[in-house]
Amino acid sequence: MDSQFGTGRAPGVELDKALTFRTVHEEVAGPKWQSLFHYHWPAYEPWYLAEGERERPSYLECHNALRQHMPELLGTYRTLCELAGGGDLSSRLLSLYRPPPYITGCSQAVLARPTSTVLARNYDYPPELCEGTIIYTRWNQRRVIAMSDCLWGVLDGMNDSGLAVSLAFGGRKVVGDGFGAPIILRYILEFCDTVPEAAAVLARVPTHMAYNITVADACGRYVTAMIAPDRRASIKRVAVATNHQKKIEWYAHALASETLIRERQLSILVDDDATTDERLISAFSAPPLFRHDYRRGLGTVYTSVYRTKEKLTQFRWPGRVLDLNFDVFPEEQLIVRYGSRGMYG
């Protein structure tokens, strides 16, 4: 792997790792979010400064970028900055404007049938770098359930209009002027109801790295947007995304992540009229989609499933399933362990 794009495994970190997943219900940002910030900040601060503080944009640049590209999000951003203590560095990080580069694995697919639409995904990443927070919010008009990243960004999630989103690394080394994808996904869930609205956001908001964003809505529409800082977004009615864009450009990562193998497996499934929701979902629990490569930071951390018509969410681990929706969202914790034997409860 290129040294600039480390998967994030810190030197000396043991392979065996326990990650506590938490469900947090706080419709208006307040003490629960503040507690999460203080818990995670000691890890985020050195990550944000890893390339030196001068490599990160100033607060004014961050604020102006948000005001230009996602102005509706400014109110929430300011509230969270205040809850975080109003510090310069934390406010810059929370903007997710030009953050440090990072890579993930990930597989995602939409199965659209006349009676149901399912967006399912595996998140492949070093477990010790995942927040593990599934948060229910109503920061603006829409209720949102999402797996959190970078304190308020979104790895995958759904809003109460039935709009679901998921991200995967795009498999390219390019880094440029733009936002981390998790805040773009947060913006979509906060202010969009449909795939066309989300596609418009993905076409215009700049990203700092290459990502593949899959979006599905309650009407059965879906797209995958291949976004990058150096070219226009390619947004098409494609149901499957792994870790490359159109063609392989970073061969070492493609080989390590098995992106072509996973893409082929998912394409076969979604193109088969006999594939049911259950068949697609179960495929994410087995190789090649489910990966045990935790030593290189490319093992599967969790599986998420979004049923857009029913507005149901599900998070899955071997032997464990967590069902959540906008009416039933209990606050609880579960511990998942990752190691040489794979993932286990």
Side-chain angles (χ1 to χ4, degrees), residues 47 92-99 149-150 152-153 178-180 182-183:
W47 168 73
R92 290 155 66 188
L93 182 147
L94 287 171
S95 75
L96 274 184
Y97 178 59
R98 284 167 36 199
D149 186 55
C150 294
W152 68 308
F179 294 91
I183 197 172

Side-chain angles (χ1 to χ4, degrees), residues 105-147:
C106 309
S107 309
Q108 54 205 32
V110 176
L111 187 67
R113 296 290 188 251
T115 58
S116 67
T117 301
V118 173
L119 170 60
R121 73 93 116 254
N122 274 358
Y123 183 64
D124 302 341
Y125 200 59
E128 66 272 18
L129 301 181
C130 182
E131 289 180 16
T133 302
I134 305 165
I135 187 166
Y136 181 130
T137 60
R138 195 171 188 174
W139 290 339
N140 297 285
Q141 295 182 356
R142 293 163 184 82
R143 293 174 294 170
V144 174
I145 295 173
M147 183 67 78

Side-chain angles (χ1 to χ4, degrees), residues 107-111 113 238-242 244 259-273 275 279-280 283-284 288-289:
S107 309
Q108 54 205 32
V110 176
L111 187 67
R113 296 290 188 251
V238 173
V240 169
T242 52
H244 60 280
T259 180
L260 289 174
I261 297 171
R262 291 182 287 115
E263 181 190 49
R264 183 173 182 272
Q265 174 78 359
L266 285 173
S267 296
I268 291 171
L269 283 168
V270 301
D271 290 342
D272 185 350
D273 291 338
T275 297
R279 181 184 176 194
L280 176 69
F284 281 90
L289 301 180

Side-chain angles (χ1 to χ4, degrees), residues 1 5-9 15 102-107 122-129 169 171 243 250-259 262 288-302 338 343:
M1 296 288 182
F5 293 86
T7 57
R9 174 170 291 281
L15 176 60
Y102 51 90
I103 62 172
T104 65
C106 309
S107 309
N122 274 358
Y123 183 64
D124 302 341
Y125 200 59
E128 66 272 18
L129 301 181
F169 173 57
N243 303 122
W250 187 358
Y251 287 92
H253 181 267
L255 183 63
S257 67
E258 299 180 320
T259 180
R262 291 182 287 115
L289 301 180
F290 193 98
R291 310 193 71 235
H292 298 282
D293 194 0
Y294 299 106
R295 189 167 298 279
R296 287 192 291 182
L298 292 171
T300 298
V301 180
Y302 66 88
Y338 308 83
M343 181 200 299

